[in-house]
Amino acid sequence: MSASRLSLVLLATAALGACATVAPMAPAPSRASIAKTPTELWTPEVAPQPERIMLAVHAQGLSSTQADALAAFADDWRAGGRGPVTLQAPVGGPDPAMVSRSTEGVRALLASYGAQVHVSGYEAKGDPRAPLIVGRERYAVSLPTCGLEWGNISRSATNEVQSNFGCAVSANIAAQIANPGDLLGPAEITAIDAQRRGVVLDKYRKGEVTAAARDDQAKGTVSQVVK
């Protein structure tokens, strides 16, 4: 084989070898490199957490203790509730008349507190002590643990968010929020007061004052100085 032909074969072999070479995989991007601001780096994590209370079925309906428990349940729901309240009644367990009486008592009491109650049944499998199950879905937020590690804040060539910046702010906000579900999105808008809107529009068309009447509670005075 001539020298020129041998050189061509070697060049072709080298080219094929170069094509078969696999480029090394790039490292996965870090959270700091993805986040644009410290608050994006330390976003609180919110997860659903079901809440359930069990109520025994009584012949006389709801007891005073059960009514107090439902009142506390309704207060928690109004303070941080999202979605309807579920009420599951046992089927094939206690006396049907007793179950119906207790179910209606629970539903009416919760409805009086403004809760939207979804009633359904579950198989009690012949258990005469099967309870009524009242539940709702609440949300819990996990707080980040700050100060565990610090990066070198003098190295800023990549312009990344510093690893611990913003952690304390996000943790404080998450700990103070009344309803963690609000971190997932805004609450649903309630229905408008059409009657009040009609009154205001009527006064506006007549050129009258549309503001509500001013009283002492509308004043911002916190103290009075006696001269």
Side-chain angles (χ1 to χ4, degrees):
M1 181 181 295
S2 63
S4 59
R5 189 172 182 180
L6 179 61
S7 299
L8 291 175
V9 172
L10 292 175
L11 288 173
T13 303
L16 292 174
C19 294
T21 302
V22 179
M25 295 183 61
S30 63
R31 291 181 60 188
S33 63
I34 297 175
K36 298 179 181 179
T37 63
T39 53
E40 291 183 4
L41 177 61
W42 294 103
T43 302
E45 297 181 0
V46 182
Q49 187 179 57
E51 181 180 358
R52 303 286 185 268
I53 59 174
M54 309 294 183
L55 302 174
V57 177
H58 298 308
Q60 72 277 12
L62 291 178
S63 66
S64 58
T65 304
Q66 291 176 335
D68 292 341
L70 288 173
F73 180 89
D75 287 341
D76 290 341
W77 174 83
R78 286 186 296 183
R82 271 180 175 264
V85 175
T86 60
L87 171 57
Q88 295 178 290
V91 178
D95 180 71
M98 292 169 49
V99 172
S100 178
R101 190 179 304 111
S102 296
T103 301
E104 178 55 26
V106 173
R107 189 206 63 78
L109 183 58
L110 290 174
S112 68
Y113 288 107
Q116 182 184 4
V117 185
H118 288 182
V119 182
S120 62
Y122 74 94
E123 180 57 46
K125 300 180 180 179
D127 184 3
R129 297 181 298 176
L132 296 170
I133 305 176
V134 181
R136 73 182 181 97
E137 189 175 73
R138 64 185 305 175
Y139 290 87
V141 58
S142 58
L143 304 180
T145 304
C146 306
L148 295 180
E149 58 179 350
W150 280 91
N152 186 352
I153 62 176
S154 65
R155 299 181 59 182
S156 58
T158 57
N159 201 31
E160 291 184 355
V161 176
Q162 297 299 332
S163 60
N164 211 46
F165 283 6
C167 180
V169 174
S170 297
N172 289 338
I173 292 176
Q176 296 177 59
I177 191 169
N179 179 17
D182 290 337
L183 296 173
L184 300 176
E188 296 181 359
I189 300 177
T190 57
I192 62 173
D193 188 347
Q195 184 176 4
R196 176 60 185 165
R197 182 180 62 177
V199 171
V200 173
L201 288 176
D202 184 61
K203 289 185 176 181
Y204 173 78
R205 294 188 182 102
K206 294 178 181 179
E208 299 177 357
V209 178
T210 58
R214 185 178 180 85
D215 56 16
D216 293 338
Q217 294 182 353
K219 296 180 180 179
T221 304
V222 295
S223 63
Q224 294 181 354
V225 178
V226 180
K227 296 181 180 181

